[in-house]
Amino acid sequence: MIRGPSPIYARAVFRRRRSVSPSFWRPILSREVELWSDLDASDQALLLERMARFVPDHRWEGVGGQEITPAVHAVVAAHACLLALRFEGDPYRNVRSIVVYPSTVVRRGRRSLGGGIEADGPMAIHGETRAGGPVVVVWNAASTGSRHPERGRNVVLHEFAHQLDVFDGVVDGMPLLASRTEELEWQETLGAVYDRIVAEPDPVLGRYAATNRGELFAVATERFFTRPAALVEHHPDLYALLRSFYRQDPVRRRSG
């Protein structure tokens, strides 16, 4: 099994700016982020520390009348930082800004689906990520996913998982890893799951995960944190892969 995030993540350092006191976020997280209650005291303290750096370290933009409120900061930062909780550095150093829309965005025109596949026509989206560009999230989707993890969908986890994937400039479902051996294991496990879900509908990962391996990684990350018991039951090898990469065990966390 892989042993953790790539040293490239570890070498990335936080850009130091004035931070918000970690205690500021506690009441907001208790109210807005259901996964907050799953964390023990030490993980809560670590998450608060990361959030206090993450929020002032990025440019936040509200579009379409969306205000950037403390709740917006808390929901987005908490889930983004949860992914990086065990990392030694900042995997989001290439994120230029975080753009928040109030409701579903419709994209028009040709777009890449990955793997050389393109689509045309209007498409409703709840989030979007580009290498070296902004992370876009829709607030009503982010807020609902934050308060209802049992539904298995969380646009912030999804889009920031893409950022982990695209850190090396390629969206291929494989984040930066420490060794060639780990890369081969990742490719084998993810490839086997991908082949299965393309061949037949999957009750946990759903149809969208079969779009390409990049989307599989992002969707699997959502389920890993929001519906871990279902993921480990249906895809134990994939769960183990993500557990080693993120250095977290949500199943044990919830049963502890």
Side-chain angles (χ1 to χ4, degrees):
M1 303 304 297
I2 63 175
R3 300 294 180 239
S6 164
I8 296 178
Y9 289 152
R11 287 198 298 270
V13 297
F14 288 106
R15 297 186 294 266
R16 299 288 183 177
R17 298 180 184 177
R18 186 177 65 179
S19 63
V20 178
S21 170
S23 62
F24 174 81
W25 301 114
R26 283 188 177 274
I28 304 174
L29 293 170
S30 296
R31 183 176 68 248
E32 301 288 343
V33 179
E34 185 66 24
L35 294 181
W36 169 255
S37 62
D38 289 344
L39 304 178
D40 63 23
S42 62
D43 280 349
Q44 286 184 349
L46 182 56
L47 184 65
L48 289 170
E49 180 181 329
R50 286 193 169 271
M51 289 176 61
R53 293 167 176 159
F54 180 93
V55 171
D57 204 32
H58 293 87
R59 184 172 68 251
W60 297 75
E61 303 175 24
V63 180
Q66 176 64 50
E67 294 184 19
I68 303 300
T69 63
V72 171
H73 279 154
V75 167
V76 175
H79 292 98
C81 292
L82 181 61
L83 298 187
L85 191 66
R86 297 276 186 263
F87 294 175
E88 297 176 9
D90 180 9
Y92 307 134
R93 64 180 182 177
N94 295 329
V95 175
R96 295 179 180 177
S97 61
I98 298 167
V99 179
V100 186
Y101 286 80
S103 56
T104 303
V105 179
V106 177
R107 291 283 188 244
R108 303 180 186 277
R110 296 195 67 81
R111 60 194 177 277
S112 173
L113 298 179
I117 302 173
E118 292 189 342
D120 201 354
M123 179 181 182
I125 65 168
H126 290 156
E128 188 174 69
T129 292
R130 296 180 183 178
V135 172
V136 176
V137 298
V138 167
W139 173 241
N140 62 6
S143 178
T144 299
S146 180
R147 288 182 282 107
H148 298 284
E150 73 281 359
R151 299 180 184 179
R153 301 189 181 278
N154 187 299
V155 64
V156 182
L157 293 176
H158 187 103
E159 299 306 329
F160 279 91
H162 279 318
Q163 280 296 323
L164 299 180
D165 185 4
V166 80
F167 193 86
D168 60 356
V170 181
V171 180
D172 57 3
M174 188 170 70
L176 292 173
L177 303 169
S179 72
R180 179 58 178 164
T181 299
E182 293 169 354
E183 290 178 359
L184 291 173
E185 182 178 10
W186 190 281
Q187 290 172 345
E188 180 180 355
T189 301
L190 199 74
V193 173
Y194 183 71
D195 290 344
R196 289 201 302 271
I197 66 174
V198 168
E200 58 183 76
D202 187 88
V204 176
L205 296 171
R207 291 184 300 172
Y208 192 64
T211 303
N212 55 52
R213 295 190 185 192
E215 294 300 346
L216 170 56
F217 171 57
V219 171
T221 292
E222 289 181 82
R223 305 300 191 269
F224 177 75
F225 286 99
T226 62
R227 297 184 60 203
L231 186 63
V232 77
E233 178 183 354
H234 289 266
H235 300 285
D237 291 346
L238 180 58
Y239 183 90
L241 197 75
L242 295 173
R243 181 183 60 202
S244 294
F245 175 69
Y246 287 115
R247 298 181 180 178
Q248 301 182 59
D249 192 345
V251 167
R252 178 175 294 182
R253 179 183 286 159
R254 291 191 177 183
S255 62

